[in-house]
Amino acid sequence: MVGSRAGVVSGEREADGGAGGVATRWVWTAAWPVTAVFVLSNAATPLYVRWQREIGFSKGTLTVIFACYIVGLLGSLLVSGVVSDRVGRKPVLLPALGLALAACAIFASASSVAALIAARLFSGIAVGAVVSAGMAAVTDVAGPDRRRLAALLASCAMVFGAGLGPLLAGVLGEGVFALEAVLLVAAVLVVVRMPVGGSSVAPARSAPARSTPAQSVAPARSASASGAWVRIPGVPRGSGGELLMGIAVFAPGITATSFVLSLGPSLLSGLLDTTSPVVAGAMAFVMFLTATGAQFAVRRLDRRTILLAGAVSTTIGMGALIAAVRASSVPLLVAAALLAGAGQGMGQLGGLSLLNSSVSPSRLAEANAALNVGGYLPAGVLPVTAGYLSDAVGLTAGATVFGAVLMALALVGGLVVLIGPPSVQRKEA
Protein backbone atom coordinates (compact mmCIF):
# COMPACT_ATOMS: atom_id res chain seq x y z
CA MET A 1 0.00 0.00 0.00
CA VAL A 2 2.83 2.34 0.95
CA GLY A 3 4.72 1.37 -2.20
CA SER A 4 1.62 2.02 -4.28
CA ARG A 5 1.13 5.42 -2.68
CA ALA A 6 4.79 6.25 -3.26
CA GLY A 7 4.36 5.38 -6.92
CA VAL A 8 1.37 7.68 -7.17
CA VAL A 9 3.29 10.52 -5.54
CA SER A 10 6.25 9.88 -7.82
CA GLY A 11 3.97 9.97 -10.84
CA GLU A 12 2.41 13.21 -9.66
CA ARG A 13 5.82 14.78 -9.21
CA GLU A 14 6.89 13.60 -12.64
CA ALA A 15 3.78 15.15 -14.15
CA ASP A 16 4.54 18.34 -12.29
CA GLY A 17 8.18 18.42 -13.39
CA GLY A 18 9.52 17.29 -10.05
CA ALA A 19 9.03 18.50 -6.51
CA GLY A 20 8.13 22.15 -6.51
CA GLY A 21 7.55 22.18 -10.27
CA VAL A 22 4.47 23.15 -12.23
CA ALA A 23 2.08 20.82 -13.99
CA THR A 24 2.95 19.80 -17.54
CA ARG A 25 -0.35 21.24 -18.73
CA TRP A 26 1.04 24.67 -17.83
CA VAL A 27 4.04 24.08 -20.10
CA TRP A 28 1.60 23.47 -22.98
CA THR A 29 -0.55 26.44 -21.97
CA ALA A 30 2.48 28.74 -21.76
CA ALA A 31 3.04 28.17 -25.47
CA TRP A 32 -0.42 29.58 -26.34
CA PRO A 33 0.66 33.25 -26.63
CA VAL A 34 3.24 32.15 -29.21
CA THR A 35 0.55 30.36 -31.21
CA ALA A 36 -1.92 33.26 -30.97
CA VAL A 37 0.56 35.87 -32.22
CA PHE A 38 1.76 33.64 -35.04
CA VAL A 39 -1.82 33.09 -36.17
CA LEU A 40 -1.83 36.85 -36.77
CA SER A 41 1.61 36.84 -38.39
CA ASN A 42 0.39 35.01 -41.50
CA ALA A 43 -3.39 35.47 -41.31
CA ALA A 44 -3.27 38.14 -44.01
CA THR A 45 -1.35 35.95 -46.48
CA PRO A 46 -4.34 34.58 -48.49
CA LEU A 47 -5.92 38.05 -48.58
CA TYR A 48 -3.03 39.78 -50.34
CA VAL A 49 -4.15 38.57 -53.76
CA ARG A 50 -7.50 40.28 -53.14
CA TRP A 51 -5.91 43.43 -51.70
CA GLN A 52 -3.45 43.50 -54.58
CA ARG A 53 -6.35 43.47 -57.04
CA GLU A 54 -8.54 45.96 -55.15
CA ILE A 55 -5.88 48.45 -54.02
CA GLY A 56 -3.53 47.90 -56.94
CA PHE A 57 0.15 47.23 -56.23
CA SER A 58 2.97 45.18 -57.78
CA LYS A 59 4.71 42.00 -56.62
CA GLY A 60 7.62 44.17 -55.51
CA THR A 61 5.32 46.28 -53.33
CA LEU A 62 3.84 43.09 -51.92
CA THR A 63 7.26 41.88 -50.80
CA VAL A 64 7.95 45.34 -49.30
CA ILE A 65 4.79 44.94 -47.20
CA PHE A 66 6.18 41.61 -46.01
CA ALA A 67 9.58 43.23 -45.41
CA CYS A 68 7.98 45.82 -43.08
CA TYR A 69 6.97 42.89 -40.93
CA ILE A 70 10.61 41.83 -40.86
CA VAL A 71 11.71 45.38 -39.99
CA GLY A 72 9.32 45.48 -37.04
CA LEU A 73 10.39 42.02 -35.95
CA LEU A 74 14.12 42.74 -36.13
CA GLY A 75 13.69 46.05 -34.33
CA SER A 76 11.76 44.27 -31.61
CA LEU A 77 14.45 41.62 -31.28
CA LEU A 78 17.06 44.31 -30.59
CA VAL A 79 15.34 45.14 -27.31
CA SER A 80 12.76 42.51 -26.31
CA GLY A 81 15.22 39.76 -25.40
CA VAL A 82 17.39 41.96 -23.21
CA VAL A 83 14.42 43.63 -21.52
CA SER A 84 12.76 40.27 -20.89
CA ASP A 85 15.88 38.83 -19.28
CA ARG A 86 16.23 41.90 -17.05
CA VAL A 87 12.68 42.74 -15.98
CA GLY A 88 10.74 39.56 -16.75
CA ARG A 89 8.64 37.92 -19.45
CA LYS A 90 5.25 39.47 -18.67
CA PRO A 91 6.28 43.16 -19.03
CA VAL A 92 7.39 42.35 -22.58
CA LEU A 93 4.58 40.00 -23.60
CA LEU A 94 1.60 42.08 -22.48
CA PRO A 95 2.45 45.22 -24.52
CA ALA A 96 3.27 42.98 -27.49
CA LEU A 97 -0.18 41.39 -27.32
CA GLY A 98 -1.67 44.90 -27.20
CA LEU A 99 0.14 45.76 -30.44
CA ALA A 100 -1.11 42.54 -31.99
CA LEU A 101 -4.68 43.52 -31.13
CA ALA A 102 -4.10 46.92 -32.76
CA ALA A 103 -2.79 45.18 -35.89
CA CYS A 104 -6.01 43.13 -36.02
CA ALA A 105 -8.09 46.30 -36.04
CA ILE A 106 -5.99 47.86 -38.81
CA PHE A 107 -6.09 44.75 -40.99
CA ALA A 108 -9.85 44.47 -40.61
CA SER A 109 -10.36 47.95 -42.08
CA ALA A 110 -7.34 48.20 -44.41
CA SER A 111 -7.96 50.08 -47.66
CA SER A 112 -4.45 51.28 -48.58
CA VAL A 113 -0.87 50.11 -48.80
CA ALA A 114 -0.01 52.36 -45.84
CA ALA A 115 -2.54 50.57 -43.64
CA LEU A 116 -1.15 47.17 -44.63
CA ILE A 117 2.38 48.38 -43.88
CA ALA A 118 1.34 49.64 -40.43
CA ALA A 119 -0.45 46.41 -39.58
CA ARG A 120 2.50 44.31 -40.72
CA LEU A 121 4.91 46.51 -38.74
CA PHE A 122 2.87 46.05 -35.53
CA SER A 123 2.63 42.32 -36.22
CA GLY A 124 6.39 42.09 -36.60
CA ILE A 125 7.01 43.87 -33.29
CA ALA A 126 4.64 41.47 -31.53
CA VAL A 127 6.29 38.45 -33.14
CA GLY A 128 9.74 39.66 -32.09
CA ALA A 129 8.56 39.75 -28.49
CA VAL A 130 7.04 36.27 -28.49
CA VAL A 131 9.98 34.54 -30.20
CA SER A 132 12.30 35.94 -27.55
CA ALA A 133 10.33 36.47 -24.32
CA GLY A 134 7.44 34.12 -25.15
CA MET A 135 9.60 31.14 -26.03
CA ALA A 136 11.84 31.79 -23.04
CA ALA A 137 8.73 31.86 -20.84
CA VAL A 138 7.83 28.34 -22.00
CA THR A 139 11.28 27.18 -20.87
CA ASP A 140 10.93 29.02 -17.55
CA VAL A 141 7.62 27.29 -16.86
CA ALA A 142 8.98 23.90 -17.91
CA GLY A 143 11.99 24.07 -15.58
CA PRO A 144 15.45 22.58 -16.06
CA ASP A 145 14.28 18.96 -16.40
CA ARG A 146 11.96 19.60 -19.35
CA ARG A 147 14.03 21.83 -21.59
CA ARG A 148 13.70 19.63 -24.67
CA LEU A 149 9.92 19.52 -24.20
CA ALA A 150 9.91 23.30 -23.87
CA ALA A 151 11.90 23.73 -27.10
CA LEU A 152 9.56 21.35 -28.92
CA LEU A 153 6.37 23.05 -27.72
CA ALA A 154 7.64 26.59 -28.31
CA SER A 155 8.84 25.73 -31.80
CA CYS A 156 5.67 23.85 -32.74
CA ALA A 157 3.50 26.63 -31.32
CA MET A 158 5.21 29.03 -33.70
CA VAL A 159 4.83 27.01 -36.90
CA PHE A 160 1.34 25.71 -36.07
CA GLY A 161 0.09 29.25 -35.49
CA ALA A 162 1.85 30.43 -38.65
CA GLY A 163 -0.06 27.79 -40.63
CA LEU A 164 -3.42 28.10 -38.88
CA GLY A 165 -3.69 31.83 -39.63
CA PRO A 166 -3.72 31.51 -43.44
CA LEU A 167 -6.20 28.62 -43.31
CA LEU A 168 -8.63 30.57 -41.13
CA ALA A 169 -8.23 33.63 -43.36
CA GLY A 170 -8.89 31.55 -46.46
CA VAL A 171 -12.17 30.34 -44.97
CA LEU A 172 -13.30 33.46 -43.08
CA GLY A 173 -11.80 36.22 -45.20
CA GLU A 174 -11.33 39.48 -43.30
CA GLY A 175 -13.51 38.04 -40.54
CA VAL A 176 -10.43 36.16 -39.40
CA PHE A 177 -9.26 39.26 -37.55
CA ALA A 178 -12.30 39.23 -35.25
CA LEU A 179 -11.54 35.62 -34.34
CA GLU A 180 -7.87 36.44 -33.94
CA ALA A 181 -8.76 39.22 -31.48
CA VAL A 182 -10.50 36.61 -29.31
CA LEU A 183 -7.42 34.35 -29.49
CA LEU A 184 -5.19 37.23 -28.45
CA VAL A 185 -7.41 38.15 -25.50
CA ALA A 186 -7.13 34.52 -24.36
CA ALA A 187 -3.35 34.85 -24.69
CA VAL A 188 -3.41 37.94 -22.47
CA LEU A 189 -5.23 35.95 -19.79
CA VAL A 190 -2.65 33.15 -20.08
CA VAL A 191 0.25 35.59 -19.65
CA VAL A 192 -1.38 37.24 -16.64
CA ARG A 193 -1.73 33.86 -14.90
CA MET A 194 1.50 32.34 -16.15
CA PRO A 195 3.60 30.93 -13.27
CA VAL A 196 6.79 32.87 -13.98
CA GLY A 197 8.56 35.33 -11.73
CA GLY A 198 9.33 38.99 -12.24
CA SER A 199 12.71 38.33 -13.85
CA SER A 200 14.65 35.44 -15.28
CA VAL A 201 17.57 35.44 -12.87
CA ALA A 202 16.09 33.34 -10.10
CA PRO A 203 18.58 30.89 -8.56
CA ALA A 204 16.22 27.98 -9.19
CA ARG A 205 16.85 28.43 -12.91
CA SER A 206 20.54 27.69 -12.80
CA ALA A 207 22.54 26.77 -15.91
CA PRO A 208 22.11 23.20 -17.10
CA ALA A 209 24.59 20.58 -16.03
CA ARG A 210 25.70 20.03 -19.63
CA SER A 211 26.88 23.61 -20.10
CA THR A 212 30.53 24.13 -20.86
CA PRO A 213 32.76 24.01 -17.77
CA ALA A 214 33.89 27.59 -18.24
CA GLN A 215 30.31 28.86 -18.31
CA SER A 216 28.81 29.84 -14.98
CA VAL A 217 25.55 31.43 -14.00
CA ALA A 218 27.10 34.51 -12.44
CA PRO A 219 28.86 35.82 -15.57
CA ALA A 220 25.68 35.20 -17.58
CA ARG A 221 23.69 37.23 -15.12
CA SER A 222 26.11 40.13 -15.06
CA ALA A 223 26.21 40.20 -18.85
CA SER A 224 22.44 40.32 -18.97
CA ALA A 225 22.20 42.97 -16.26
CA SER A 226 24.76 45.30 -17.83
CA GLY A 227 25.27 46.95 -21.17
CA ALA A 228 22.87 48.71 -23.51
CA TRP A 229 19.16 47.99 -23.42
CA VAL A 230 19.00 48.16 -27.20
CA ARG A 231 21.68 46.04 -28.84
CA ILE A 232 22.33 43.26 -31.29
CA PRO A 233 21.37 40.16 -29.29
CA GLY A 234 23.98 37.57 -28.54
CA VAL A 235 24.76 34.52 -26.43
CA PRO A 236 27.08 33.92 -23.48
CA ARG A 237 30.68 32.96 -24.16
CA GLY A 238 30.88 29.25 -24.95
CA SER A 239 27.50 29.09 -26.73
CA GLY A 240 28.48 30.69 -30.03
CA GLY A 241 28.88 27.31 -31.74
CA GLU A 242 25.30 26.30 -30.91
CA LEU A 243 24.00 29.63 -32.20
CA LEU A 244 25.98 29.31 -35.44
CA MET A 245 24.71 25.80 -36.11
CA GLY A 246 21.12 26.81 -35.45
CA ILE A 247 21.26 29.85 -37.73
CA ALA A 248 23.02 27.90 -40.49
CA VAL A 249 19.96 25.67 -40.94
CA PHE A 250 17.11 27.79 -39.57
CA ALA A 251 17.90 30.79 -41.80
CA PRO A 252 17.58 28.99 -45.18
CA GLY A 253 14.48 27.15 -43.93
CA ILE A 254 12.55 30.22 -42.79
CA THR A 255 13.67 32.15 -45.89
CA ALA A 256 12.19 29.40 -48.05
CA THR A 257 8.85 29.49 -46.23
CA SER A 258 8.85 33.31 -46.34
CA PHE A 259 9.21 33.19 -50.11
CA VAL A 260 6.36 30.69 -50.42
CA LEU A 261 4.19 32.93 -48.22
CA SER A 262 5.01 36.16 -50.08
CA LEU A 263 4.83 35.01 -53.69
CA GLY A 264 3.32 31.53 -53.40
CA PRO A 265 -0.32 32.73 -53.52
CA SER A 266 0.31 34.73 -56.70
CA LEU A 267 2.18 31.83 -58.27
CA LEU A 268 -0.49 29.34 -57.27
CA SER A 269 -3.34 31.55 -58.48
CA GLY A 270 -1.59 31.82 -61.85
CA LEU A 271 -1.06 28.09 -62.18
CA LEU A 272 -4.60 27.20 -61.11
CA ASP A 273 -6.25 30.25 -62.68
CA THR A 274 -7.99 31.08 -59.41
CA THR A 275 -7.85 33.87 -56.86
CA SER A 276 -9.57 31.88 -54.10
CA PRO A 277 -7.96 32.69 -50.73
CA VAL A 278 -8.89 29.20 -49.53
CA VAL A 279 -6.40 27.64 -51.95
CA ALA A 280 -3.54 29.89 -50.86
CA GLY A 281 -4.45 29.49 -47.19
CA ALA A 282 -4.62 25.73 -47.48
CA MET A 283 -1.15 25.56 -49.05
CA ALA A 284 0.34 27.68 -46.26
CA PHE A 285 -1.45 25.62 -43.61
CA VAL A 286 -0.21 22.32 -45.03
CA MET A 287 3.32 23.73 -45.24
CA PHE A 288 3.40 24.66 -41.57
CA LEU A 289 1.48 21.58 -40.50
CA THR A 290 4.30 19.62 -42.11
CA ALA A 291 6.75 21.73 -40.07
CA THR A 292 4.86 20.80 -36.90
CA GLY A 293 4.65 17.11 -37.75
CA ALA A 294 8.33 16.95 -38.72
CA GLN A 295 9.35 18.31 -35.33
CA PHE A 296 7.32 15.73 -33.43
CA ALA A 297 8.70 13.01 -35.71
CA VAL A 298 12.36 13.87 -35.05
CA ARG A 299 12.09 15.06 -31.44
CA ARG A 300 13.94 12.00 -30.04
CA LEU A 301 16.88 12.30 -32.44
CA ASP A 302 20.09 14.05 -31.46
CA ARG A 303 20.22 17.73 -32.31
CA ARG A 304 22.90 17.43 -34.98
CA THR A 305 20.84 14.86 -36.90
CA ILE A 306 17.76 17.09 -36.67
CA LEU A 307 19.68 20.02 -38.13
CA LEU A 308 21.17 17.92 -40.93
CA ALA A 309 17.72 16.66 -41.84
CA GLY A 310 16.48 20.24 -41.94
CA ALA A 311 19.28 21.31 -44.29
CA VAL A 312 18.60 18.38 -46.63
CA SER A 313 14.87 19.10 -46.66
CA THR A 314 15.37 22.78 -47.55
CA THR A 315 17.85 21.88 -50.30
CA ILE A 316 15.50 19.40 -51.95
CA GLY A 317 12.57 21.77 -51.47
CA MET A 318 14.28 24.56 -53.39
CA GLY A 319 15.11 22.12 -56.16
CA ALA A 320 11.41 21.26 -56.32
CA LEU A 321 10.54 24.98 -56.39
CA ILE A 322 12.78 25.58 -59.40
CA ALA A 323 11.27 22.61 -61.17
CA ALA A 324 7.73 23.76 -60.27
CA VAL A 325 8.04 27.24 -61.76
CA ARG A 326 9.82 26.03 -64.88
CA ALA A 327 7.31 23.25 -65.50
CA SER A 328 4.26 25.20 -64.21
CA SER A 329 3.53 22.23 -61.97
CA VAL A 330 1.18 22.54 -59.01
CA PRO A 331 2.22 19.18 -57.45
CA LEU A 332 5.88 20.24 -57.50
CA LEU A 333 4.99 23.61 -55.97
CA VAL A 334 3.11 21.89 -53.16
CA ALA A 335 6.03 19.49 -52.66
CA ALA A 336 8.40 22.47 -52.46
CA ALA A 337 6.17 24.08 -49.82
CA LEU A 338 6.03 20.90 -47.73
CA LEU A 339 9.80 20.39 -47.87
CA ALA A 340 10.40 24.06 -47.02
CA GLY A 341 8.09 23.73 -44.02
CA ALA A 342 9.90 20.63 -42.81
CA GLY A 343 13.25 22.37 -43.29
CA GLN A 344 12.22 25.37 -41.23
CA GLY A 345 10.63 23.22 -38.54
CA MET A 346 13.67 21.01 -38.03
CA GLY A 347 16.12 23.92 -38.23
CA GLN A 348 14.11 25.84 -35.67
CA LEU A 349 13.74 22.90 -33.30
CA GLY A 350 17.42 22.02 -33.53
CA GLY A 351 18.50 25.60 -32.93
CA LEU A 352 16.17 26.18 -29.98
CA SER A 353 17.15 22.85 -28.41
CA LEU A 354 20.85 23.67 -28.67
CA LEU A 355 20.32 27.06 -27.01
CA ASN A 356 18.09 25.59 -24.28
CA SER A 357 20.83 23.07 -23.47
CA SER A 358 23.70 25.56 -23.27
CA VAL A 359 22.32 28.97 -22.22
CA SER A 360 21.11 29.81 -18.71
CA PRO A 361 17.58 31.22 -18.42
CA SER A 362 19.04 34.59 -17.39
CA ARG A 363 20.21 35.00 -21.01
CA LEU A 364 17.76 32.73 -22.84
CA ALA A 365 15.39 35.36 -24.23
CA GLU A 366 18.33 37.25 -25.70
CA ALA A 367 19.74 34.00 -27.13
CA ASN A 368 16.37 33.24 -28.74
CA ALA A 369 16.38 36.75 -30.17
CA ALA A 370 19.87 36.18 -31.62
CA LEU A 371 18.73 32.97 -33.34
CA ASN A 372 15.75 34.75 -34.86
CA VAL A 373 17.77 37.76 -36.00
CA GLY A 374 20.03 35.34 -37.86
CA GLY A 375 17.01 33.65 -39.41
CA TYR A 376 14.71 36.55 -40.18
CA LEU A 377 17.34 38.87 -41.66
CA PRO A 378 17.82 36.78 -44.82
CA ALA A 379 14.11 35.91 -44.72
CA GLY A 380 13.37 39.61 -45.18
CA VAL A 381 16.09 40.53 -47.65
CA LEU A 382 16.08 37.62 -50.09
CA PRO A 383 12.32 37.37 -50.82
CA VAL A 384 12.15 41.17 -51.38
CA THR A 385 15.04 40.89 -53.82
CA ALA A 386 13.35 37.94 -55.52
CA GLY A 387 10.07 39.89 -55.74
CA TYR A 388 11.62 42.83 -57.55
CA LEU A 389 13.70 40.50 -59.70
CA SER A 390 10.51 38.69 -60.68
CA ASP A 391 8.91 42.01 -61.69
CA ALA A 392 11.95 42.76 -63.87
CA VAL A 393 12.70 39.42 -65.53
CA GLY A 394 9.58 37.36 -64.88
CA LEU A 395 8.45 35.09 -62.08
CA THR A 396 10.07 31.97 -63.54
CA ALA A 397 13.54 33.50 -63.80
CA GLY A 398 13.27 35.28 -60.44
CA ALA A 399 12.13 32.17 -58.58
CA THR A 400 14.86 30.11 -60.26
CA VAL A 401 17.60 32.47 -59.11
CA PHE A 402 16.12 32.63 -55.61
CA GLY A 403 15.85 28.83 -55.37
CA ALA A 404 19.43 28.33 -56.53
CA VAL A 405 20.80 30.83 -53.98
CA LEU A 406 18.82 29.22 -51.20
CA MET A 407 19.94 25.72 -52.22
CA ALA A 408 23.54 26.88 -51.89
CA LEU A 409 22.88 28.43 -48.46
CA ALA A 410 21.18 25.25 -47.23
CA LEU A 411 24.13 23.14 -48.42
CA VAL A 412 26.56 25.45 -46.62
CA GLY A 413 24.38 25.15 -43.51
CA GLY A 414 24.57 21.38 -43.69
CA LEU A 415 28.37 21.56 -43.92
CA VAL A 416 28.51 23.84 -40.88
CA VAL A 417 26.51 21.28 -38.91
CA LEU A 418 28.67 18.38 -40.15
CA ILE A 419 31.91 20.12 -39.19
CA GLY A 420 30.55 21.72 -36.04
CA PRO A 421 32.59 23.22 -33.20
CA PRO A 422 34.23 20.67 -30.87
CA SER A 423 32.32 22.07 -27.88
CA VAL A 424 28.99 21.06 -29.42
CA GLN A 425 30.32 17.60 -30.25
CA ARG A 426 31.32 17.10 -26.61
CA LYS A 427 27.90 18.12 -25.33
CA GLU A 428 26.17 15.63 -27.61
CA ALA A 429 28.53 12.80 -26.75
Side-chain angles (χ1 to χ4, degrees):
M1 184 70 176
V2 173
S4 175
R5 175 59 182 164
V8 171
V9 172
S10 176
E12 289 174 348
R13 287 182 176 176
E14 183 177 354
D16 288 346
V22 299
T24 299
R25 66 178 179 274
W26 252 115
V27 184
W28 286 76
T29 305
W32 175 250
V34 179
T35 299
V37 171
F38 269 93
V39 169
L40 173 66
S41 71
N42 291 330
T45 298
L47 304 175
Y48 283 118
V49 174
R50 178 192 303 171
W51 284 325
Q52 191 173 13
R53 183 179 66 251
E54 294 176 352
I55 299 174
F57 50 84
S58 67
K59 293 184 180 69
T61 301
L62 177 60
T63 51
V64 167
I65 293 172
F66 273 83
C68 287
Y69 164 82
I70 301 296
V71 169
L73 189 154
L74 291 175
S76 177
L77 290 174
L78 295 180
V79 64
S80 59
V82 175
V83 173
S84 175
D85 285 337
R86 291 183 183 180
V87 305
R89 313 305 184 202
K90 294 181 181 182
V92 172
L93 291 175
L94 291 174
L97 291 171
L99 276 179
L101 284 165
C104 278
I106 297 173
F107 270 131
S109 58
S111 59
S112 67
V113 171
L116 295 177
I117 287 175
R120 289 297 285 173
L121 186 66
F122 286 179
S123 301
I125 295 172
V127 167
V130 298
V131 297
S132 52
M135 289 184 169
V138 178
T139 302
D140 290 347
V141 172
D145 297 328
R146 293 179 291 190
R147 282 194 171 92
R148 288 202 70 158
L149 173 64
L152 175 66
L153 294 182
S155 184
C156 286
M158 172 179 169
V159 293
F160 181 72
L164 184 59
L167 180 65
L168 292 174
V171 175
L172 301 175
E174 293 180 1
V176 68
F177 299 113
L179 175 60
E180 168 61 6
V182 175
L183 301 182
L184 288 169
V185 169
V188 170
L189 297 177
V190 168
V191 172
V192 169
R193 297 192 60 199
M194 190 180 292
V196 292
S199 68
S200 60
V201 295
R205 300 292 193 242
S206 58
R210 298 187 69 173
S211 297
T212 56
Q215 180 183 338
S216 64
V217 179
R221 287 178 187 170
S222 65
S224 177
S226 62
W229 286 81
V230 180
R231 67 191 187 201
I232 297 175
V235 293
R237 181 174 299 177
S239 299
E242 287 86 347
L243 177 63
L244 176 62
M245 288 174 60
I247 291 175
V249 179
F250 175 51
I254 195 170
T255 305
T257 57
S258 295
F259 179 76
V260 173
L261 284 172
S262 62
L263 293 182
S266 298
L267 181 59
L268 192 62
S269 65
L271 292 176
L272 295 178
D273 193 25
T274 178
T275 57
S276 171
V278 177
V279 175
M283 185 180 73
F285 175 71
V286 172
M287 177 173 70
F288 286 112
L289 186 65
T290 302
T292 305
Q295 291 179 77
F296 274 97
V298 303
R299 68 187 186 279
R300 299 188 186 280
L301 300 179
D302 66 86
R303 299 175 180 96
R304 188 182 297 273
T305 302
I306 293 173
L307 288 171
L308 284 173
V312 170
S313 183
T314 300
T315 302
I316 299 174
M318 291 303 94
L321 176 66
I322 294 172
V325 297
R326 301 192 74 84
S328 297
S329 170
V330 173
L332 282 174
L333 178 61
V334 173
L338 298 183
L339 288 164
Q344 177 189 335
M346 289 185 283
Q348 183 174 295
L349 175 62
L352 286 173
S353 296
L354 283 173
L355 293 179
N356 274 8
S357 71
S358 63
V359 178
S360 71
S362 63
R363 294 288 303 277
L364 188 56
E366 185 181 358
N368 289 343
L371 175 66
N372 282 280
V373 166
Y376 276 103
L377 192 58
V381 173
L382 291 180
V384 168
T385 304
Y388 277 108
L389 183 62
S390 297
D391 282 342
V393 302
L395 187 57
T396 298
T400 299
V401 172
F402 175 86
V405 170
L406 213 50
M407 282 181 70
L409 291 177
L411 286 171
V412 170
L415 289 176
V416 169
V417 174
L418 275 176
I419 297 171
S423 59
V424 176
Q425 296 177 11
R426 287 195 300 270
K427 291 174 187 178
E428 292 184 346

